[in-house]
Amino acid sequence: MSTAYVNDDTRLSWGRVVRSHHLIAKPRFVDEIAPALADASVMGLRALPVGLGRSYGDSNLNPGGALIDLSKLDRIVAFDTQNGVLRADSGISLSDILRFSVPRGWFLPTTPGTRFVTLGGSIANDVHGKNHHAAGSVGCSIRRVGLVRSDRGALELASDIEPELFAATIGGLGLTGVIAWAEIQMVPIVSAYIEQEVLPFDDLDSFFDIAEASQNTFEHTVAWIDCTASGRHLGRGLFTRGNWAPEGGLDAHSDKLKLTMPVDGTPLAFNALSLRVLNTMIRTAQSFKAAESRVHYEPHLYPLDAIGAWNRLYGRAGFYQYQCIVPPDGRAAIAELLCAIADEGAGSVLGVLKSFGPKRSPGLLSFPMEGFTLAMDFCNAGARTHALFARLDAIVRAANGRLYAAKDGRMPASMFQTSYPEWARFAKQIDPLLTSAFWDRVSQ
């Protein structure tokens, strides 16, 4: 069975910076993937599998080429209720998985800050969550993967079945073949609620102290950072930590949106003065609420999912998210990064700082490593934004850190190849028909 390609000029990544033409196919069943690959080849087009479009930069775009949209492949195939092993089509969203599994007492082993990503996309980007220090990235919990390649057809992969291709597929940005299905080890929960603490802190040293003290006693940790603070208050923010509550019921979340951005925002709302006011307001308001509480997992793990199309907040020119990680001895680099951002009067109200643990992913291109990760949004102000990023890049490079491909839309090829030393080994496993704007840029 084949599936038709249609012209599309509307496909954007989450950052909304790159606007280009694609031909898009939407297979509804696994056996329609191979014909979609064959059709792209006949048309002389390179192809790229994509999910729900939540990658921020250009790793999910293939300008002038073909996209194979897997979001219609959204079925749960099997679930072992005794051992928590779930097998599902790759296009199912994490939201749909949780709505199925939570009432049965099982949760995803790790989850990014949005549940509106697909299972396949999670694997292709080896996503991490607030519990990386305890659980590692999602690649640590993937048991098997079904892959369809243009040159070898359907394959089954695991750590002991084609291990090199399996390692390349975990965090492989969808370039080793089309992930058709996957088998993931879920984790048991006794309630859908989190016992949460919110702790204001006044400077960066205090963040490091709280993070270290929370490492072995809290499963979920993350900090919001005031990107405008400087001097003795550099790195101030709010630290949130929590553990699964022992009771409270197993009610799943609702996907009903509480608010939706109706129109594009204006970048003028993110000048230096407004950012300082907004960040101060957030810290003050949240500090008054700082306390221990029991909350549902939805606001704890997915606070931004309550606002539909929040990516329109930054205006039609779009935005970049800069997410880096530095090793444990890179604390001074985090301070340098925050100084550079505050000096520029850039950033947003969505700055996040978190510690990662030592558990390693099997993925050759996986982003996580032990250390500290800083993530922050920036309005796309053209050359001015890129000049700031060049300054930040130099700090990250000097600290032996790296950038997250799923968030990136402009990393220089030299930085990618230096900070991902397995990239050449990975390149040998790429499906010859597949590529992306990101890969075309960083592999030269």
Side-chain angles (χ1 to χ4, degrees):
M1 182 179 295
S2 184
T3 184
Y5 280 92
V6 297
N7 288 293
D8 190 304
D9 293 316
T10 63
R11 182 62 62 110
L12 302 171
S13 68
W14 194 243
R16 305 175 76 231
V17 172
V18 179
R19 297 170 187 271
S20 60
H21 176 78
H22 293 92
L23 283 173
I24 301 182
K26 295 184 177 180
R28 296 162 298 167
F29 299 96
V30 167
D31 62 3
E32 294 178 352
I33 294 175
L37 289 169
D39 289 348
S41 180
V42 168
M43 291 187 288
L45 298 175
R46 305 288 295 279
L48 179 69
V50 296
L52 293 174
R54 288 298 183 117
S55 292
Y56 284 56
D58 55 2
S59 65
N60 60 350
L61 299 175
N62 182 25
L67 296 179
I68 300 176
D69 182 334
L70 299 169
S71 59
K72 300 297 183 184
L73 290 175
D74 57 357
R75 302 169 187 83
I76 290 174
V77 178
F79 184 57
D80 181 341
T81 57
Q82 295 299 313
N83 299 305
V85 178
L86 182 141
R87 178 167 167 168
D89 289 350
S90 65
I92 192 170
S93 70
L94 300 190
S95 183
D96 285 345
I97 289 177
L98 290 176
R99 288 174 60 79
F100 170 84
S101 69
V102 167
R104 293 167 171 81
W106 295 91
F107 206 82
L108 292 161
T110 188
T111 172
T114 175
R115 60 185 184 272
F116 298 121
V117 298
T118 63
L119 176 60
S122 300
I123 297 169
N125 293 285
D126 198 15
V127 299
H128 55 270
K130 295 179 175 66
N131 63 345
H132 183 274
H133 59 282
S137 60
V138 73
C140 299
S141 302
I142 299 301
R143 295 163 52 103
R144 293 177 181 273
V145 172
L147 195 71
V148 180
R149 286 179 60 105
S150 67
D151 57 347
R152 298 178 60 193
L155 305 170
E156 183 168 323
L157 312 178
S159 59
D160 58 350
I161 305 173
E162 301 228 25
E164 187 73 359
L165 185 54
F166 179 74
T169 300
I170 302 295
L173 304 171
L175 297 171
T176 62
V178 180
I179 298 175
W181 56 267
E183 201 172 271
I184 184 170
Q185 177 64 60
M186 307 288 282
V187 295
I189 54 173
V190 295
S191 85
Y193 290 79
I194 302 281
E195 292 184 337
Q196 170 183 284
E197 295 180 18
V198 180
L199 309 172
F201 55 92
D202 291 329
D203 53 41
L204 200 52
D205 285 341
S206 298
F207 162 80
F208 291 126
D209 290 344
I210 298 172
E212 185 173 351
S214 305
Q215 191 88 355
N216 297 321
T217 50
F218 289 89
E219 180 173 346
H220 306 282
T221 67
V222 69
W224 169 83
I225 293 290
D226 178 353
C227 71
T228 66
S230 58
R232 63 188 178 89
H233 291 304
L234 182 75
R236 71 180 178 185
L238 300 159
F239 195 99
T240 302
R241 60 190 186 185
N243 288 314
W244 287 106
E247 56 188 18
L250 289 167
D251 47 321
H253 65 275
S254 167
D255 280 339
K256 184 177 181 180
L257 294 173
K258 298 172 183 174
L259 180 67
T260 296
M261 276 291 294
V263 296
D264 291 345
T266 170
L268 293 176
F270 297 95
N271 60 37
L273 176 60
S274 63
L275 280 175
R276 186 175 295 278
V277 171
L278 288 170
N279 276 274
T280 299
M281 288 173 61
I282 289 174
R283 187 173 188 279
T284 301
Q286 294 299 316
S287 294
F288 279 119
K289 295 194 295 185
E292 298 180 10
S293 60
R294 178 176 294 184
V295 298
H296 192 261
Y297 69 81
E298 181 186 8
H300 182 82
L301 296 176
Y302 309 111
L304 281 177
D305 281 349
I307 307 173
W310 66 261
N311 57 336
R312 299 182 68 178
L313 186 67
Y314 300 96
R316 180 173 170 76
F319 72 104
Y320 293 95
Q321 184 173 100
Y322 192 93
Q323 182 168 3
C324 64
I325 186 164
V326 296
D329 61 0
R331 295 184 178 195
I334 296 294
E336 287 184 63
L337 291 165
L338 291 173
C339 280
I341 294 166
D343 286 349
E344 183 66 22
S348 70
V349 296
L350 301 176
V352 171
L353 183 59
K354 179 177 161 37
S355 57
F356 278 1
K359 191 169 185 177
R360 298 189 62 178
S361 167
L364 298 181
L365 287 191
S366 290
F367 166 72
M369 63 179 179
E370 187 174 15
F372 302 100
T373 182
L374 174 68
M376 197 166 293
D377 294 348
F378 296 86
C379 283
N380 175 22
R384 180 184 174 189
T385 305
H386 285 255
L388 172 62
F389 288 163
R391 188 177 171 191
L392 303 183
D393 287 351
I395 298 169
V396 174
R397 285 189 185 207
N400 296 315
R402 61 188 177 216
L403 305 185
Y404 190 11
K407 305 291 182 67
D408 180 69
R410 35 63 56 190
M411 181 187 349
S414 61
M415 185 172 188
F416 170 76
Q417 294 175 17
T418 300
S419 56
Y420 287 90
E422 300 285 5
W423 81 273
R425 181 180 159 198
F426 164 81
K428 296 177 181 176
Q429 302 298 325
I430 291 178
D431 185 309
L433 187 70
L434 302 185
T435 193
S436 69
F438 173 85
W439 188 250
D440 288 344
R441 174 164 50 82
V442 303
S443 61
Q444 301 304 313

